[in-house]
Amino acid sequence: MDEGLSRLPERQLLEHRDFIGLDYPSLYMCKPKRGVKRDESKETYKLPHRLIEKKRRDRINECIAQLKDLLPEHLKLTTLGHLEKAVVLELTLKHLKALTALTEQQHQKIIALQNGKRA
């Protein structure tokens, strides 16, 4: 089973089609919902919970990696060595708050200039 996953490039998100044809132990099969008859002629398998959870974690990690790439270099240099996920999120919040404050200041200046022209 891991052979099929190891062929995927790094940082690629897994999709349902990536798991079609893989053999899963019956222990990991999702049970059908109550009241829904399972069609025995079709072998429809749902993704095991652990693979769904891995896909979710991979998406989170990819988003954090993208945030890290968007951070200005001067913020990255404030930390020594590897940026942990929590540090990336903290630096992103700090940068976003600074940009928001700067935007608000610029907006106030524009309003002041517009009011000055009208007077």
Side-chain angles (χ1 to χ4, degrees), residues 62-76 83 88 91-92 95-96 99:
E62 179 59 30
C63 289
I64 291 174
Q66 288 179 19
L67 284 174
K68 180 181 174 183
D69 293 341
L70 291 174
L71 284 174
E73 288 301 318
H74 74 277
L75 282 178
K76 293 179 192 177
L83 290 175
V88 170
L91 291 175
T92 302
H95 185 59
L96 193 56
L99 288 177

Side-chain angles (χ1 to χ4, degrees), residues 35-74:
V36 177
K37 292 184 179 180
R38 183 174 169 187
D39 185 3
E40 295 297 328
S41 65
K42 295 180 182 178
E43 292 189 16
T44 307
Y45 295 109
K46 293 190 176 190
L47 292 177
H49 176 73
R50 63 188 179 96
L51 294 177
I52 293 170
E53 185 62 22
K54 181 182 181 341
K55 182 178 177 181
R56 186 188 71 82
R57 286 191 314 269
D58 288 344
R59 285 177 37 224
I60 291 170
N61 289 334
E62 179 59 30
C63 289
I64 291 174
Q66 288 179 19
L67 284 174
K68 180 181 174 183
D69 293 341
L70 291 174
L71 284 174
E73 288 301 318
H74 74 277

